[in-house]
Structures are given as C-alpha cells and as structure tokens.
Amino acid sequence: MSTPLTLVTGGTGFLGAALVRRLVADGERVRVLDNNWRGRPRRLGDAADAIDLVVADIRDPEAVKAATAGVDRVVHMSAVNGTRFFYEQPELVIDVAVRGILNVIDACRAHGVDDLVVASSSEAYQSPQQIPTPEDVPLVVPDVLNTRYSYGGSKLASELIALNYALEGPTRTIVFRPHNVYGPDMGWEHVIPEITSRAMQAIAAAPDDGPVPFEIHGDGQQTRAFIHVDDFTDGLLVAIRKGEPRNVYHIGNPDEVRIADLTRQVFAVFGREPDLRSRPAPAGETRRRCPDIAKLRALGFTPSVPLAQGLPPVVQWYRDHQDLRSSSA
C-alpha cells in the first residue's frame, strides 16, 4: 500500500508550512497549493525538495480541481489573515474564504476525496460569554458594517458550508480553530511581531536606561492565550488523525496573558522596561479570549511550550530579520 498523499492549501503560509514540514518529517507524501501572495516558499525549508508545489489561486476552481487529483486527504488552510487586511481589503478576505471552501469541496467530490480538514478561527465566535471557551458556543458577527468581521464572518461561513456539505460528502470533514499561534516567520500583521517591531523603534528613540514610553491599545488588560507553532502542529496532527467526522476542535493553549504583560515580556528580551501609555482600541476588539481544549486533550493532545520559553526566540527572530519586513507579509 502506497503512502497517502495530502494536499495542503495555503501550504507556504505560516501554519500551513509548519504542517507540511511535519508531514514530510513523518514520511508522508505532500502536495501544496498556494499562490504565494502572503505565503513564502522559504518557510518549507528542507521539505521543499520533497513536495509537489502547485502555484495557483484557491479561487480558481480548475486549478483546485487539478491539484486535488490523486490525493487522499485535503487540509484546507488558504486564507487572508492579518488584521490590517480585515480593515483594508474585506472583499478579498471574504472572496478567498468563501470561494476557496466551495472550490475545495467541489474538487473533493469530483475526485472522491472523503477526508477534508478545514481551518477556521477563534474569530468565528468573536467575544464569547464563556471563558475558557468550548467549541459549541454560538458563532457571532456582532456588526456586519465593521469590516474587521470580514475575517471572522467568512470563517463562520466556511464552517457552516464545510459541516453541512459534509452530509453529502466529503463525509469525514473536520474543522479546527487555531487560537493565537505564534512562532518565527509568522508574518508581520500579528500582535507579537507588531509589538516587537515597535519596541525596537521605541528603544532606539530612548537610549537611556529608564522605562521606554510605549503605546498599547486600550488599557492592556485584554487577554489572549498564545500557543507555540510546534504545539499547534502537534494538536493539528491529533485532530487530523484522530478527530471525529463533523466535529470542531479548538487548538490552543489555555494559559491566558494580559497584553500589557506580554508587552513587558517582549521588552525584557531587549533588557528594557516599557512605560505603557494607553491609546484607543479599534472598534470590535475582543476583550478576552481563551480556548477550552478538553475535546483535543481527550484525543491525546497537551501543549508543552510555555510562553516564557517560546516567546524570547521568536522576539529574537524578528529582531534579527527586520530586513524581511518590506518583502514579507
């Protein structure tokens, strides 16, 4: 029996490439579909020589259908992530999400692929009433006029499409929601890279040894629960290999941190302390977010990289790779 072939859409993105590298390391065959608009083939590392890379747009139905031929499983991770894009290009965000999931399902049906794993997001439920948050909370778009929700709303739609189409096939459809994954080369439109870059600028402007003036959104008491990319990939593989059909799985780390404390940890990597100043938070910002991962724990997953261990190397990576900012999303 030949080794199963997995198609990873969005496979040169941060999360997609991490999965591809792990699958290759595990001896699996992999095909990647990505147009490399925000993805970067460099993220594949040594795995690049072991995969079939198809450069195409997830919105092109014929390209998706061709890439799906002969595969045994599709992990659909194509998306336009990054808060700036939610506000500045909401039509693109929605177009990629909705056309992408429809094209993937059509391609799976055309080739008889019955194993589909779909990436959603914690943004699909926005600001939950229950913390830690289980998978069965209501999915919410609080304000259809706020372009921020172009991403969360499109992920909500993707879940609805994937899980309801699964009644007719692909019948082994699984949805996963990543929660604030961080790691080296994750892009620049995320909280840790953004704080790191601004911290470097602020420190350069304040060479004295005292606290460094630094603005943060709101009062800094907002919380997030960050999961290292290595832990995330472990959790995703558990969901792929052990998840139940038509189920949703949160992949995250339930350890919350206040944004003000996260900022202090970033500054500590540079040997400095911030003097935090408040500025208005963008409309629609979530006050608190932390996943309940009991469902995934029951399948054998446990995160193992605490933020105190995982954060400094990531901050150092961004410190040392500022030259990539102009050419890397």
Side-chain angles (χ1 to χ4, degrees):
M1 181 180 294
S2 63
T3 305
L5 174 61
T6 297
L7 170 65
V8 180
T9 74
T12 63
F14 171 54
L15 299 184
L19 174 63
V20 170
R21 295 194 305 268
R22 186 70 62 83
L23 290 173
V24 169
D26 288 351
E28 297 197 22
R29 296 189 298 143
V30 182
R31 180 179 298 158
V32 167
L33 184 147
D34 204 310
N35 66 357
N36 296 328
W37 181 62
R38 294 191 69 237
R40 295 293 181 266
R42 68 164 182 264
R43 292 185 175 120
L44 298 171
D46 294 340
D49 295 332
I51 68 164
D52 176 15
L53 176 58
V54 178
V55 180
D57 194 317
I58 194 66
R59 295 172 294 175
D60 180 343
E62 295 306 316
V64 176
K65 190 175 295 184
T68 308
V71 308
D72 301 283
R73 175 197 299 131
V74 175
V75 182
H76 177 47
M77 302 177 74
S78 292
V80 177
N81 197 0
T83 306
R84 175 167 65 86
F85 298 111
F86 307 166
Y87 288 107
E88 296 178 4
Q89 300 187 61
E91 180 177 347
L92 176 65
V93 171
I94 294 170
D95 197 39
V96 167
V98 176
R99 293 185 197 276
I101 185 62
L102 289 171
N103 285 344
V104 164
I105 289 173
D106 286 345
C108 286
R109 289 178 171 179
H111 294 293
V113 180
D114 207 39
D115 193 346
L116 173 61
V117 181
V118 176
S120 181
S121 169
S122 57
E123 296 274 349
Y125 62 73
Q126 295 303 327
S127 300
Q129 298 301 309
Q130 183 176 347
I131 301 289
T133 306
E135 288 85 351
D136 59 359
V137 295
L139 305 188
V140 177
V141 177
D143 181 3
V144 295
L145 298 180
N146 185 339
T147 57
R148 176 188 174 84
Y149 301 124
S150 57
Y151 184 71
S154 66
K155 286 298 187 181
L156 187 164
S158 294
E159 289 196 26
L160 189 67
I161 291 168
L163 295 172
N164 284 278
Y165 276 46
L167 293 170
E168 300 295 332
T171 57
R172 190 184 182 273
T173 293
I174 293 167
V175 170
F176 68 93
R177 297 180 188 144
H179 285 68
N180 291 97
V181 188
Y182 73 98
D185 205 5
M186 65 186 294
W188 301 87
E189 287 82 18
H190 304 279
V191 60
I192 290 173
E194 190 261 346
I195 290 175
T196 299
S197 295
R198 290 201 302 114
M200 292 176 63
Q201 296 170 2
I203 290 168
D208 295 335
D209 292 335
V212 179
F214 191 78
E215 289 189 340
I216 58 174
H217 289 309
D219 60 6
Q221 298 307 298
Q222 315 94 308
T223 70
R224 295 295 184 268
F226 292 91
I227 182 169
H228 191 273
V229 64
D230 291 344
D231 278 343
F232 163 79
T233 307
D234 288 342
L236 178 52
L237 285 173
V238 169
I240 289 171
R241 293 168 178 170
K242 298 182 180 181
E244 294 294 325
R246 296 192 76 235
N247 264 261
V248 179
Y249 294 94
H250 284 171
I251 305 178
N253 188 326
D255 294 335
E256 286 182 88
V257 61
R258 293 182 178 88
I259 296 301
D261 293 334
L262 174 71
T263 303
R264 294 185 183 100
Q265 290 184 47
V266 170
F267 269 82
V269 176
F270 297 104
R272 300 296 297 272
E273 178 184 350
D275 174 15
L276 299 178
R277 317 282 180 84
S278 178
R279 67 181 182 187
E285 182 177 66
T286 299
R287 185 71 181 171
R288 187 180 177 198
R289 182 172 289 150
C290 176
D292 183 335
I293 61 170
K295 281 181 67 174
L296 203 58
R297 282 190 189 276
L299 297 180
F301 170 68
T302 301
S304 62
V305 183
L307 187 65
Q309 174 186 331
L311 182 64
V314 175
V315 172
Q316 291 162 4
W317 189 95
Y318 277 94
R319 177 198 64 194
D320 297 339
H321 292 84
Q322 288 289 308
D323 58 305
L324 296 178
R325 183 163 192 165
S326 61
S327 61
S328 175

